[in-house]
Amino acid sequence: MADDRRADADRRADLQLDQPSGTRSFAQFLNFNPDAIGYYAEKIARFLGTGRYLAIQTIIVIIWIAINVVWVSMRFDPYPFILLNLAFSTQAAYAAPLILLAQNRQTDRDKVQIEEDRARAAQTRADTEFLARELASLRVAIGELATRDFISRELDRLAPPDDDAAARRKKERKRKREQQARDNAPD
């Protein structure tokens, strides 16, 4: 609460015109936020590259020339249109650095994006290599596992000979092997 009162008092003191606001040097005056300048430069550069801008500029030039050629009483820039050329030169003088600034910012964004892509690609490669190693180890482990046929043969071998179920399983396996041999036999 006391901090709020102090902040309000400081704000009121800043608004008083009879109090000196402090001196600012020229260097402090020129201390701009480069991101803000770059942001607005990009907006201007994007606008300068649109058909809307070209249409507006064309309309302004046609009106300018019409006023200076047709309406004699309103002439402010006679035929060589020196003022119009000056306006175009000034526009070009500001447009070129703004476009370059926008391109530099885009280049910086592209560099960051490339670094992120490289990091993502490296992570993807590491993940892929890990999964390949895991898959290879699973293949090796599966190769060492006992198969269903192996287990059933071992059970049949260990089962007593008078067991009917074992005899039926044995006949069924024998029939399957014969069927597979017939299917695999050359014609």
mmCIF file of all heavy atoms in Angstrom, residues 121-139:
data_model
loop_
_atom_site.group_PDB
_atom_site.id
_atom_site.type_symbol
_atom_site.label_atom_id
_atom_site.label_comp_id
_atom_site.label_asym_id
_atom_site.label_seq_id
_atom_site.Cartn_x
_atom_site.Cartn_y
_atom_site.Cartn_z
ATOM 1 N N ALA A 121 17.313 -32.197 -36.627
ATOM 2 C CA ALA A 121 17.809 -33.296 -37.464
ATOM 3 C C ALA A 121 18.791 -34.175 -36.686
ATOM 4 O O ALA A 121 18.751 -35.398 -36.795
ATOM 5 C CB ALA A 121 18.476 -32.742 -38.721
ATOM 6 N N ALA A 122 19.647 -33.543 -35.884
ATOM 7 C CA ALA A 122 20.590 -34.320 -35.077
ATOM 8 C C ALA A 122 19.842 -35.172 -34.057
ATOM 9 O O ALA A 122 20.186 -36.347 -33.842
ATOM 10 C CB ALA A 122 21.574 -33.384 -34.378
ATOM 11 N N GLN A 123 18.813 -34.603 -33.433
ATOM 12 C CA GLN A 123 18.023 -35.363 -32.464
ATOM 13 C C GLN A 123 17.287 -36.502 -33.149
ATOM 14 O O GLN A 123 17.247 -37.622 -32.639
ATOM 15 C CB GLN A 123 17.025 -34.437 -31.748
ATOM 16 C CG GLN A 123 16.198 -35.138 -30.697
ATOM 17 C CD GLN A 123 17.053 -35.676 -29.571
ATOM 18 O OE1 GLN A 123 17.984 -35.023 -29.126
ATOM 19 N NE2 GLN A 123 16.740 -36.864 -29.106
ATOM 20 N N THR A 124 16.746 -36.242 -34.327
ATOM 21 C CA THR A 124 16.043 -37.285 -35.076
ATOM 22 C C THR A 124 17.005 -38.400 -35.468
ATOM 23 O O THR A 124 16.678 -39.583 -35.366
ATOM 24 C CB THR A 124 15.389 -36.682 -36.333
ATOM 25 O OG1 THR A 124 14.503 -35.640 -35.930
ATOM 26 C CG2 THR A 124 14.636 -37.727 -37.123
ATOM 27 N N ARG A 125 18.205 -38.022 -35.885
ATOM 28 C CA ARG A 125 19.203 -39.039 -36.249
ATOM 29 C C ARG A 125 19.591 -39.876 -35.041
ATOM 30 O O ARG A 125 19.693 -41.106 -35.132
ATOM 31 C CB ARG A 125 20.428 -38.355 -36.844
ATOM 32 C CG ARG A 125 21.465 -39.324 -37.309
ATOM 33 C CD ARG A 125 22.608 -38.642 -37.979
ATOM 34 N NE ARG A 125 23.574 -39.635 -38.413
ATOM 35 C CZ ARG A 125 24.625 -39.362 -39.119
ATOM 36 N NH1 ARG A 125 24.858 -38.141 -39.503
ATOM 37 N NH2 ARG A 125 25.458 -40.316 -39.475
ATOM 38 N N ALA A 126 19.802 -39.224 -33.905
ATOM 39 C CA ALA A 126 20.153 -39.960 -32.688
ATOM 40 C C ALA A 126 19.014 -40.895 -32.290
ATOM 41 O O ALA A 126 19.259 -42.055 -31.907
ATOM 42 C CB ALA A 126 20.475 -38.982 -31.562
ATOM 43 N N ASP A 127 17.779 -40.416 -32.384
ATOM 44 C CA ASP A 127 16.635 -41.267 -32.056
ATOM 45 C C ASP A 127 16.539 -42.447 -33.008
ATOM 46 O O ASP A 127 16.273 -43.576 -32.593
ATOM 47 C CB ASP A 127 15.333 -40.456 -32.112
ATOM 48 C CG ASP A 127 15.216 -39.445 -30.982
ATOM 49 O OD1 ASP A 127 15.999 -39.543 -30.012
ATOM 50 O OD2 ASP A 127 14.341 -38.554 -31.089
ATOM 51 N N THR A 128 16.783 -42.196 -34.295
ATOM 52 C CA THR A 128 16.720 -43.267 -35.289
ATOM 53 C C THR A 128 17.803 -44.310 -35.035
ATOM 54 O O THR A 128 17.549 -45.523 -35.102
ATOM 55 C CB THR A 128 16.864 -42.683 -36.705
ATOM 56 O OG1 THR A 128 15.854 -41.695 -36.901
ATOM 57 C CG2 THR A 128 16.744 -43.755 -37.758
ATOM 58 N N GLU A 129 19.005 -43.849 -34.722
ATOM 59 C CA GLU A 129 20.092 -44.791 -34.432
ATOM 60 C C GLU A 129 19.781 -45.610 -33.178
ATOM 61 O O GLU A 129 20.035 -46.817 -33.133
ATOM 62 C CB GLU A 129 21.405 -44.032 -34.275
ATOM 63 C CG GLU A 129 21.939 -43.485 -35.586
ATOM 64 C CD GLU A 129 23.167 -42.607 -35.401
ATOM 65 O OE1 GLU A 129 23.556 -42.337 -34.241
ATOM 66 O OE2 GLU A 129 23.729 -42.179 -36.425
ATOM 67 N N PHE A 130 19.214 -44.964 -32.164
ATOM 68 C CA PHE A 130 18.842 -45.677 -30.946
ATOM 69 C C PHE A 130 17.800 -46.743 -31.255
ATOM 70 O O PHE A 130 17.906 -47.888 -30.813
ATOM 71 C CB PHE A 130 18.314 -44.694 -29.897
ATOM 72 C CG PHE A 130 17.719 -45.358 -28.699
ATOM 73 C CD1 PHE A 130 18.540 -45.921 -27.727
ATOM 74 C CD2 PHE A 130 16.345 -45.443 -28.541
ATOM 75 C CE1 PHE A 130 17.995 -46.546 -26.625
ATOM 76 C CE2 PHE A 130 15.793 -46.069 -27.448
ATOM 77 C CZ PHE A 130 16.617 -46.625 -26.483
ATOM 78 N N LEU A 131 16.769 -46.366 -32.039
ATOM 79 C CA LEU A 131 15.725 -47.328 -32.379
ATOM 80 C C LEU A 131 16.275 -48.468 -33.230
ATOM 81 O O LEU A 131 15.866 -49.624 -33.068
ATOM 82 C CB LEU A 131 14.584 -46.627 -33.117
ATOM 83 C CG LEU A 131 13.728 -45.694 -32.256
ATOM 84 C CD1 LEU A 131 12.734 -44.946 -33.123
ATOM 85 C CD2 LEU A 131 13.017 -46.458 -31.166
ATOM 86 N N ALA A 132 17.224 -48.176 -34.106
ATOM 87 C CA ALA A 132 17.836 -49.236 -34.914
ATOM 88 C C ALA A 132 18.603 -50.211 -34.023
ATOM 89 O O ALA A 132 18.523 -51.430 -34.220
ATOM 90 C CB ALA A 132 18.762 -48.625 -35.962
ATOM 91 N N ARG A 133 19.339 -49.673 -33.043
ATOM 92 C CA ARG A 133 20.060 -50.553 -32.111
ATOM 93 C C ARG A 133 19.077 -51.396 -31.294
ATOM 94 O O ARG A 133 19.299 -52.594 -31.076
ATOM 95 C CB ARG A 133 20.952 -49.730 -31.184
ATOM 96 C CG ARG A 133 22.198 -49.184 -31.846
ATOM 97 C CD ARG A 133 23.174 -48.620 -30.839
ATOM 98 N NE ARG A 133 22.608 -47.570 -30.027
ATOM 99 C CZ ARG A 133 22.603 -46.270 -30.339
ATOM 100 N NH1 ARG A 133 23.161 -45.876 -31.461
ATOM 101 N NH2 ARG A 133 22.055 -45.381 -29.552
ATOM 102 N N GLU A 134 17.995 -50.787 -30.840
ATOM 103 C CA GLU A 134 16.995 -51.521 -30.072
ATOM 104 C C GLU A 134 16.350 -52.617 -30.919
ATOM 105 O O GLU A 134 16.147 -53.730 -30.453
ATOM 106 C CB GLU A 134 15.921 -50.559 -29.536
ATOM 107 C CG GLU A 134 16.394 -49.672 -28.418
ATOM 108 C CD GLU A 134 16.762 -50.459 -27.183
ATOM 109 O OE1 GLU A 134 15.988 -51.350 -26.769
ATOM 110 O OE2 GLU A 134 17.845 -50.202 -26.634
ATOM 111 N N LEU A 135 16.047 -52.287 -32.169
ATOM 112 C CA LEU A 135 15.446 -53.267 -33.067
ATOM 113 C C LEU A 135 16.413 -54.434 -33.318
ATOM 114 O O LEU A 135 16.002 -55.593 -33.314
ATOM 115 C CB LEU A 135 15.055 -52.596 -34.389
ATOM 116 C CG LEU A 135 14.296 -53.438 -35.390
ATOM 117 C CD1 LEU A 135 12.995 -53.938 -34.791
ATOM 118 C CD2 LEU A 135 14.027 -52.637 -36.645
ATOM 119 N N ALA A 136 17.674 -54.118 -33.511
ATOM 120 C CA ALA A 136 18.669 -55.185 -33.712
ATOM 121 C C ALA A 136 18.774 -56.070 -32.476
ATOM 122 O O ALA A 136 18.848 -57.299 -32.590
ATOM 123 C CB ALA A 136 20.023 -54.569 -34.053
ATOM 124 N N SER A 137 18.758 -55.459 -31.294
ATOM 125 C CA SER A 137 18.847 -56.273 -30.074
ATOM 126 C C SER A 137 17.595 -57.123 -29.894
ATOM 127 O O SER A 137 17.678 -58.267 -29.412
ATOM 128 C CB SER A 137 19.089 -55.389 -28.851
ATOM 129 O OG SER A 137 17.959 -54.582 -28.590
ATOM 130 N N LEU A 138 16.442 -56.604 -30.296
ATOM 131 C CA LEU A 138 15.221 -57.410 -30.222
ATOM 132 C C LEU A 138 15.271 -58.580 -31.192
ATOM 133 O O LEU A 138 14.840 -59.691 -30.874
ATOM 134 C CB LEU A 138 13.992 -56.547 -30.521
ATOM 135 C CG LEU A 138 13.535 -55.622 -29.410
ATOM 136 C CD1 LEU A 138 12.405 -54.728 -29.891
ATOM 137 C CD2 LEU A 138 13.095 -56.427 -28.197
ATOM 138 N N ARG A 139 15.821 -58.344 -32.387
ATOM 139 C CA ARG A 139 15.955 -59.448 -33.356
ATOM 140 C C ARG A 139 16.869 -60.537 -32.818
ATOM 141 O O ARG A 139 16.606 -61.725 -32.985
ATOM 142 C CB ARG A 139 16.472 -58.919 -34.682
ATOM 143 C CG ARG A 139 15.442 -58.178 -35.468
ATOM 144 C CD ARG A 139 15.986 -57.694 -36.780
ATOM 145 N NE ARG A 139 14.948 -57.035 -37.549
ATOM 146 C CZ ARG A 139 15.167 -56.279 -38.582
ATOM 147 N NH1 ARG A 139 16.395 -56.095 -39.009
ATOM 148 N NH2 ARG A 139 14.177 -55.708 -39.216
#
